[in-house]
Amino acid sequence: MNKPVVLRGYSFSVYNRIARVSLHEKGVSYETEEIDPFADSVPLRYMQRQPFGRVPVLSHGTFDVYETVAIGRYTDAAFDGPRLVPLDAESLTRLAQTVSIIDTYGYRPMVRQVFAHRVFRPAVGEAGDISEIENGLAASQTVLKALETLAAEAYVLNKQTFTLADCHLAPMIAYFVQAPEGKAVLSDYAALSDWWEWASQRASVKETDPGLPQNRTT
Ligand SMILES: N[C@@H](CCC(=O)N[C@@H](CS)C(=O)NCC(=O)O)C(=O)O
């Protein structure tokens, strides 16, 4: 009998969606458990699985894994389906570089500043902070420029082979472009815009769109 696969996370989390995209790409059936990491208290049983209180965590039988990069690597290695990690040295390296750029420099300005303050907070009836949006847009430029170079070089983000780099970037850009200013900024980067046009049509990306919450807080 197959071991159960459970993704524990928050529907509106960009990292949760990254994990979901990789599971969809591999054709893995999974259950979900909703954990809101922004709630006043995160359940103790979840903290035992993720000591930093972030989401998501993937459980496969008794094997738990947290950190979305590791979840993607596990998903690729543990399940049948198309490979999400390239084999050649250059593409493998560019994949790691892309994901690291997104996590280290991209998530905060693109998601926590631009998307959260321009789109998410207003959707739940909270005021966004204009200075957060402006600072996020400014910081996003360097990130998009770096990703543009990687997309133009095309070892990854190449509109042909869907890898963990695509899994990681698509949910971030999907949120960023919901802000009109984010959409405008992205259009300055030709290779990245072409990539997004392609990636946004991918079934795994479309099927994992969480939409926007109603009367929720972030
Ligand atoms: N390094 C973590 C980052 C995950 C992360 O930051 N998730 C966000 C939601 S998108 C979170 O749980 N935030 C809760 C908080 O900041 O307290 C990973 O790769 O899984």
Side-chain angles (χ1 to χ4, degrees):
M1 197 177 105
N2 288 340
K3 292 180 282 185
V5 180
V6 183
L7 184 67
R8 303 171 204 279
Y10 178 50
S11 309
F12 302 108
S13 155
V14 75
Y15 283 100
N16 194 59
R17 189 174 180 190
I18 293 167
R20 293 189 66 209
V21 171
S22 59
L23 288 163
H24 280 238
E25 286 291 331
K26 296 295 277 191
V28 178
S29 300
Y30 60 97
E31 294 161 34
T32 58
E33 183 188 353
E34 191 73 3
I35 301 287
D36 182 351
F38 301 103
D40 289 340
S41 75
V42 176
L44 182 62
R45 66 174 195 285
Y46 183 78
M47 295 298 293
Q48 286 165 344
R49 289 194 161 95
Q50 216 296 10
F52 303 97
R54 302 286 183 105
V55 293
V57 170
L58 183 74
S59 302
H60 186 201
T62 56
F63 186 78
D64 290 334
V65 55
Y66 67 85
E67 286 304 302
T68 306
V69 171
I71 291 172
R73 295 301 294 252
Y74 180 78
T75 300
D76 189 45
F79 301 105
D80 292 337
R83 283 189 61 85
L84 299 177
V85 176
L87 292 174
D88 67 285
E90 289 84 359
S91 305
L92 189 60
T93 302
R94 291 301 191 231
L95 189 162
Q97 195 178 351
T98 302
V99 167
S100 189
I101 289 168
I102 295 165
D103 283 351
T104 311
Y105 312 110
Y107 168 61
R108 185 174 148 69
M110 293 169 68
V111 176
R112 296 300 294 273
Q113 292 186 296
V114 176
F115 170 74
H117 285 270
R118 182 69 169 89
V119 180
F120 194 95
R121 287 181 185 225
V124 296
E126 290 180 15
D129 181 338
I130 186 77
S131 67
E132 291 281 343
I133 300 167
E134 284 171 359
N135 291 340
L137 285 167
S140 297
Q141 293 279 3
T142 311
V143 179
L144 294 173
K145 195 170 170 206
L147 294 171
E148 170 74 8
T149 302
L150 290 163
E153 184 193 44
Y155 282 112
V156 291
L157 309 179
N158 57 22
K159 302 180 286 175
Q160 285 170 9
T161 315
F162 201 92
T163 72
L164 291 179
D166 302 270
C167 295
H168 225 83
L169 185 57
M172 301 268 172
I173 297 289
Y175 269 175
F176 186 65
V177 299
Q178 286 184 47
E181 300 86 344
K183 192 173 181 183
V185 166
L186 180 70
S187 70
D188 292 339
Y189 298 93
L192 209 50
S193 294
D194 284 354
W195 167 81
W196 173 238
E197 204 171 307
W198 174 80
S200 62
Q201 297 308 311
R202 191 90 177 172
S204 61
V205 174
K206 289 173 122 172
E207 287 162 10
T208 55
D209 181 356
L212 284 173
Q214 312 226 314
N215 303 319
R216 296 284 301 269
T217 53
T218 185

